[in-house]
């Protein structure tokens, strides 16, 4: 879509209602409320307490709540499409046939068991065939996009020239979720996970017939500990300026000696590139040194176990069971694997997501939903503009650049205007592992073909059937796939208050990402450029520091507090998104009083809708995993943490001193 210009923005503000018919339902799940808990003391539990008490996390899930329920629904809808295709003959070579064959092969467990280790033998043999460091470098390049490697490549818009695609590196190679699992092994929870990982690697080695399985596992762990020690932490990886380190191809060997860069890039199909950005220079240099100095046999052992781990879901039952025992139970607490049909939908979505998305949209995304979302987005953009005008901590020059960035936002709703072609993808009947490898190579080839070429602004990073949304700073765009545009986020039959509190705050969240501590480093054109005055940036940083301090008081599991720096960008987006969604809701009333529905005022329904959107409960091991690796705060603290700073929340529920959700007006954090 075209960027929203000032005239269009002004026109949007003339029609602020969602234009739904008169409503008699709020859209809230009142049965999920806990009447014993007041919103003034705990908004999250007031809106969700009964649900939290009575709903059990399904055995196959590490967490459960609004997002998971919608993702399950989306998966069931996609399953019906896929199984409908599989139920009748399809034209040879058609996308429909490829989808059916891919899903059929992955869900044919008897066929996978019968094939044994034969499908993975060529990959294992290619590792055994590595005789020199140059061959190791070439092999690592050749496997890009196929497995978890110490050094990864990707093709993205150049941070400072976002109209051109260029390759970059990224640190990788760890079998556990984060470096902390290795570097903080003295902590009981991390030590337990590390022990389970060693046992899992030993099992993989034994099942594959490798000599000395325990030694193979320890060799792999020793390499991973050294890789982990070199990794940048998650907070450092949010600093876009530090991540941008372009090098001419000829200078790569000097920047990170030990890796044969030309062989590496040749293997990846990028041998002719003119330059590449090294995202984590110190980590890349350390990994390159390790690739040069650690025994070649150790690397072969490591690569074999990583290959087996990556392919375990398409290997015989013993491999599948071992992988779930570690990656499911040990890491997340789930006690049963996800149903095979649902795993199959995940795989087909990953391989041919837009092909399925085209069919999904035709069945499940009414055209009217898109138009109502356009209205909502325009309303939220308008409210953000109003907030910009009212800022007291930002000077007029920076404020003008901020408004220019906001006015340049591109909005994408529902589905892409053009769909990807899967004509060149080869899918074979009964070849689950091979299909996965060919799909990964097909996608990697698509990435490689973009290197050095102009960015296609029509591309989407998510499929329509994905329950999520995103802001892309390099394109200055906000994107809302079709699958998130349904209850409880967006209910065409419900009250405006709840829609603004749920999907409105999600929209506001994504808009705000362009102005969080990371997104604010990019300008209106998507280029990494400092458009701030020093004084304004310092004022913004001080506000962010206050938010860090607030969230670092939260303790999701005993003895483990939130990392306020890691989650700062998401917390800014939650706080600001809720603020502008509320302003947009009030403006939508046109000066009239909202009706009381379900015994709640419009303002109260807005905040209860916000809270129910983040409804979730999770197993402790899963919370631990997310605390180390996820930039989002746990849902409870997303719901309460943003509301705590909101004047409208205090007014709606009459929050006063002594209430647990009370925060003095002068202490409330207001950023955008």
């Amino acid at each position: 879509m075209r960027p929203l210009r000032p005239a269009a923005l002004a026109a949007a503000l003339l029609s602020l209602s969602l234009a739904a018919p008169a409503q008699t339902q709020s859209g809230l799940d009142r049965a999920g409320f806990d009447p014993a808990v007041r919103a003034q003391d705990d908004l999250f539990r007031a809106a969700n307490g009964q649900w939290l008490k009575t709903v059990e996390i399904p055995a196959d899930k590490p967490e459960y709540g609004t997002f998971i329920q919608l993702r399950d629904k989306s998966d069931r809808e996609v399953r019906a499409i896929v199984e409908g295709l599989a139920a009748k003959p399809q034209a040879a070579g058609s996308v429909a046939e490829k989808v059916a064959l891919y899903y059929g092969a992955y869900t044919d467990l008897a066929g996978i068991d019968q094939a044994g280790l034969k499908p993975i033998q060529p990959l294992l043999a290619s590792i055994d065939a590595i005789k020199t460091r140059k061959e190791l470098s070439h092999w690592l390049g050749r496997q890009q996009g196929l497995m978890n490697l110490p050094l990864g490549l990707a093709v993205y818009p150049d941070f400072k020239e976002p109209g051109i695609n260029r390759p970059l590196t990224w640190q990788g190679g760890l079998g556990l979720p984060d470096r902390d699992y290795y570097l903080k092994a003295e902590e009981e929870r991390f030590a337990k996970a590390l022990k389970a990982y060693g046992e899992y690697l030993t099992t993989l080695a034994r099942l594959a017939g490798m000599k000395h399985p325990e030694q193979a596992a320890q060799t792999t762990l020793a390499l991973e500990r050294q890789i982990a020690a070199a990794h940048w932490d998650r907070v450092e990886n949010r600093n876009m300026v530090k991540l941008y380190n372009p090098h001419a191809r000829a200078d790569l060997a000097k920047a990170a000696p030990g890796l044969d860069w030309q062989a590496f890039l040749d293997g990846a199909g990028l041998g002719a590139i003119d330059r590449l950005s090294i995202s984590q220079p110190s980590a890349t240099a350390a990994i390159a040194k390790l690739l040069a100095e650690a025994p070649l046999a150790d690397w072969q052992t490591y690569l074999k176990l990583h290959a087996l781990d990556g392919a375990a879901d398409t290997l015989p039952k013993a491999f599948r069971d071992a992988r779930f025992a570690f990656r499911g139970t040990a890491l997340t607490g789930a006690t049963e694997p996800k149903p095979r049909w649902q795993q199959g939908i995940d795989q087909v979505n990953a391989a041919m997501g837009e092909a399925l998305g085209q069919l999904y949209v035709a069945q499940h995304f009414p055209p009217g939903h898109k138009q109502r979302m356009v209205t909502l987005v325009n309303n939220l953009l308008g409210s953000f503009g109003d907030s910009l005008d009212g800022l007291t901590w930002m000077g007029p020059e920076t404020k003008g650049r901020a408004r220019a960035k906001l006015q340049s936002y591109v909005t994408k709703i529902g589905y892409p205007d053009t769909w990807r072609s899967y004509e060149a993808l080869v899918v074979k009947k009964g070849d689950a592992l091979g299909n996965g490898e060919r799909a990964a190579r097909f996608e990697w080839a698509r990435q490689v073909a973009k290197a050095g070429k102009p960015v296609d602004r029509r591309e989407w990073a998510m499929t329509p059937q994905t329950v999520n949304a995103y802001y892309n700073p390099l394109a200055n765009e906000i994107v809302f796939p079709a699958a998130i545009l349904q209850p409880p986020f967006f209910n065409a039959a419900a009250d405006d208050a709840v829609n603004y509190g749920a999907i409105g705050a999600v929209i506001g969240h994504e808009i705000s990402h362009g102005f969080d501590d990371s997104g604010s480093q990019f300008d209106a054109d998507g280029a990494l450029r400092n458009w701030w005055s020093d004084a304004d940036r310092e004022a913004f940083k001080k506000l962010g520091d206050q938010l860090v301090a607030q969230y670092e008081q939260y303790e999701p599991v005993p003895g483990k507090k939130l990392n306020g720096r890691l989650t700062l960008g998401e917390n800014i987006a939650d706080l600001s998104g809720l603020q502008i969604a509320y302003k947009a809701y009030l403006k939508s009333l046109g000066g009239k009083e909202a009706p009381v529905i379900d015994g709640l005022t419009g303002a109260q329904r807005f905040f209860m809708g916000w809270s129910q959107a983040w409804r979730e409960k999770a197993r402790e091991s899963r919370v631990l995993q997310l605390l180390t690796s996820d930039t989002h705060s746990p849902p409870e603290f997303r719901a309460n943490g943003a509301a705590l700073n909101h004047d409208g929340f205090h007014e709606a529920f009459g929050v006063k001193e002594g209430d647990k959700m009370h925060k003095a007006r002068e202490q409330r954090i207001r950023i955008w």
Side-chain angles (χ1 to χ4, degrees), residues 5 15 28 36 39 81 101 118 137 153 158 189 225 228 309 350 404 437 513 522 551 564 572 576 626 671:
R5 301 302 179 192
S15 177
L28 293 169
I81 293 170
L101 290 178
K118 185 178 179 181
S137 298
L153 291 167
D158 187 282
R189 296 183 183 97
R225 284 191 182 95
D309 173 39
E437 179 176 334
H513 268 314
F522 294 84
Y551 280 81
I572 289 174
S576 303
L626 294 175
I671 300 181

Side-chain angles (χ1 to χ4, degrees), residues 39-56:
Q40 297 94 316
D41 293 323
D42 188 335
L43 175 64
F44 182 72
R45 283 173 176 76
N48 303 299
Q50 188 61 26
W51 183 90
L52 292 167
K53 291 176 186 176
T54 56
V55 171
E56 295 292 330

Side-chain angles (χ1 to χ4, degrees), residues 192 234 238 450 557:
K192 185 178 178 182
R234 301 274 177 165
R238 296 192 63 252
K450 297 194 294 187
V557 295

Side-chain angles (χ1 to χ4, degrees), residues 239 305 357 388-389 454 510 535 637:
N239 188 324
L305 289 181
L388 281 177
D389 291 340
E510 300 307 337
F637 306 108

Side-chain angles (χ1 to χ4, degrees), residues 345-538:
I345 294 304
D346 289 344
Q347 295 298 315
V348 182
N349 275 331
M352 289 173 279
E354 285 202 7
L356 282 174
Q358 196 167 2
L359 299 171
Y360 173 87
V361 165
Q363 294 187 24
H364 299 289
F365 191 60
H369 283 199
K370 185 166 186 173
Q371 186 51 52
R372 287 190 74 196
M373 272 296 292
V374 169
T375 302
L376 251 178
V377 171
N378 288 346
N379 296 353
L380 269 293
L381 286 166
S383 288
F384 200 99
D386 292 343
S387 290
L388 281 177
D389 291 340
L391 290 181
T392 58
W393 58 266
M394 178 180 276
E397 188 175 347
T398 308
K399 194 180 291 187
R401 295 190 185 114
R403 178 166 278 287
K405 179 170 183 175
L406 181 68
Q407 291 169 349
S408 297
Y409 267 42
V410 175
T411 303
K412 296 177 177 177
I413 296 171
Y415 51 88
D417 293 329
T418 58
W419 301 93
R420 292 180 192 172
S421 168
Y422 296 91
E423 185 178 356
L425 175 61
V426 176
V427 179
K428 297 181 180 179
K429 183 178 181 179
D431 187 12
L433 191 149
N435 288 338
E437 179 176 334
R438 284 185 293 274
R441 291 201 184 281
F442 171 78
E443 174 57 22
W444 179 247
R446 191 180 75 87
Q447 297 294 326
V448 168
K450 297 194 294 187
K453 304 284 179 58
V455 172
D456 183 353
R457 299 285 189 177
R458 301 169 301 174
E459 279 195 0
W460 281 49
M462 289 179 180
T463 66
Q465 61 271 32
T466 302
V467 181
N468 212 331
Y470 67 94
Y471 170 74
N472 176 6
L474 293 162
N476 200 27
E477 65 182 10
I478 46 177
V479 185
F480 304 97
I484 199 172
L485 307 179
Q486 55 183 313
F489 291 102
F490 175 65
N491 187 344
D495 168 43
D496 275 3
V498 174
N499 277 325
Y500 272 102
I503 195 64
V506 169
I507 295 167
H509 175 103
E510 300 307 337
I511 292 172
S512 301
H513 268 314
F515 299 89
D516 70 18
D517 61 316
S518 178
S520 64
Q521 297 180 69
F522 294 84
D523 67 13
D525 298 319
L528 183 64
R529 181 178 70 84
N530 182 18
W531 47 272
W532 295 65
S533 72
D534 291 345
D536 290 336
R537 177 57 80 174
E538 182 59 28

Side-chain angles (χ1 to χ4, degrees), residues 186-209:
E186 73 280 358
E187 296 186 23
E188 182 182 355
R189 296 183 183 97
F190 288 137
K192 185 178 178 182
L194 192 61
K195 180 176 182 290
Y197 182 44
E199 293 169 351
Y200 171 54
L201 292 176
T202 300
T203 300
L204 290 179
R206 178 177 52 78
L207 291 172

